[in-house]
Amino acid sequence: MPRGQKSKLRAREKRRKARGETQSLSDAQATAAEKGESPSPSSPVLGNTPLSSPAAGSSQKPQRALPSTTAAAAASCTTSDRGAKSQGQENAGSSEASSSTESSSNDPVTREVGMLIYFLLEKYKNKEPIRKAAMLKAVNKKNKKHFPEILKRTSHQLELTFGLHLKEVNPSGQSYTVVSQLDLNDDGSLRGDSECPKNGLLMPLLAMIFLEGNCATEEDIWEFLNILGIYDGRRHLIFGDPRKLITQDLVQEKYLVYQQVYNSDPPRYEFLWGPKAHAEISKMKVLEFLAKVNETVPSAFPFHYEEALRDQEERARARAAARPGVKPSDAKPHS
Amino acid sequence: MHSSTRKAAAIMTDVHRRFLQLLMTHGVLEEWEIKRLQKHCYKVHDCNATVEKLEDFINNINSVLESLYIEIKKGVTEDDGRPIYALVNLATTPISKMATDFAENELDLFRKALDLIMDSETGFASSTNILNLVDQLKGKKMRKKEAEQVLQKFAQNKWLIEKEGEFTLHGRAILEMEQYIRETYPDSVKICNICHSLLIQGQSCETCGIRMHLPCVAKYFKSNSEPRCPHCNDYWPHEIPEVFDPEKEREAGISKSNRRSLRSRQH
């Protein structure tokens, strides 16, 4: 007499429970088995309920000592290292989460952080915006009250580990997007923040120009530099000859454009971003710099924040279209 | 500060971050691609540093990802033994992962295809059999013609592989779904006798029924003129494939491109 569906399901639950006790993910799995839902970011409709039976036509397979197969698998998993191997064909034991020595990994908030991070990584990959409601849904019901803490830690980990930033798209806080802080640029000419003195000055200059509507007069620039203790004609300890630096060096390197104001008599001059600045540094990055300096957030400059977001979208679109092998239809977000 | 954040702060540099971002963007990469990616990240951020050995580089990153239940996982394609890498989430079931890319009825089509694959002897499900289940799908009604397109989408996104009208799981899907499959199909899951990992495609002994992955067969029986089943010692009746050799692969690629350029010159 073949086993009924119910007893099969019960046996499956029992096996899963037994396995769950030996894994550090035991909490998640036990609660999932109890509640009948799984700790996953999918909506309930899509569901993760295990399929109750194989498709029609399957014969009653011998139990094949399944416990021993799982035991063998578990044994090979525990003896194998996690992570990549240069030899061999073992999948690093996927059923073993970790023999983690970190107590924080069993704390439910940490687990939710992991869940939410992966959810956001997927959104980043697809270049999709994220609704706050969707993030809330991604978190297990019983941990929802910890959501602000979870979100804060997720955001922090996202930056620290992945160099990604979770940003509000609009100040109302209902829509977010994930962007790279690394300014993915394939020409390899991206520079770090403080690699050479020039850059120490470049960022403030670009920020100033951006604030002034992408074009700043020479008078404004000098007024600004004076605040920083840099004066026209006076040699600076770090920057040397400031006039030469901003009107020649940085111009030659294409970070700045120094041009005469149209029809000005006597001639006056203005500064704009150079092509290399446009290529390497995003408006968002500059705005972040400004925000940091002023101890506030980018969205505190709403007008420029909008512009920076637009700039970001265009860059993302350009990047997606420029990827080799990507068909134009693939660059469009899925509806 | 949590110990996990301390570790991340100590290990992660922009080299690692860019690596993770690009790996995430690509989904799954072969070994030569991931090596190239690693070099690229070094070049962009830290061109003076020596490129760390890939295995150590990945292990370092994984030690940081551990507390997030995320891992850079290495696997091997079942048909020709190529090493592949993907960023996987160990805490959730993978069908929900696909949920960001696919609609409800498409996900259900995938589940149906997976059912058939798991049930089959060969690890392959025919396109016809999958399409016949179209009426049973959850969500919006799907026509067979649409379903064909969806199956192609699965293949393009590296969840399924198509071979002569039949579908099986892509190496990437196996990497991400091994745990899910073991839990969901405990009665029909097949395991390789050599590496003890999940087996979808492979060879089996006709006498005792044990199974082995093609790359596992290749390694186990390498330069063995009389291959015998490791379990029952009976003669192994199948053709022994060759062990995957990345060097030969590259040479083949170069000669292929030479031939292509010759052809274009002939025009």
Side-chain angles (χ1 to χ4, degrees), chain B residues 45-61:
Chain B
H45 286 284
D46 200 354
C47 41
N48 292 325
T50 22
V51 176
E52 196 180 3
K53 196 170 116 185
L54 183 68
E55 187 180 353
D56 297 332
F57 185 76
I58 290 183
N59 283 343
N60 269 330
I61 295 179

Side-chain angles (χ1 to χ4, degrees), chain A residues 25 46 48 51 66 73 82-83 85 89 91 94 98 102 105 111 118 122 125-126 160-163 180, chain B residues 3 12 17 21 24 62 66 69 71 73-75 87 89-90 93 100-101 111 115 178 182 186 216:
Chain A
L25 281 181
L46 297 164
N48 295 294
L51 301 153
L66 188 62
R82 294 179 79 241
K85 298 194 203 323
Q89 298 157 337
N91 276 334
S94 60
S98 66
E102 300 180 67
S105 61
R111 268 205 306 280
Y118 201 85
E122 289 277 308
K125 175 177 155 195
N126 296 330
L160 189 57
T161 307
F162 294 89
S180 168
Chain B
S3 53
M12 300 303 286
R17 293 186 190 108
Q21 285 182 18
M24 190 68 207
N62 276 340
E66 192 174 354
Y69 297 103
E71 182 186 353
K73 212 165 165 205
K74 179 183 176 181
L87 196 63
N89 184 343
L90 302 173
T93 59
T100 48
D101 289 332
R111 280 196 205 97
D115 285 349
E178 171 156 3
R182 282 177 188 258
C216 294

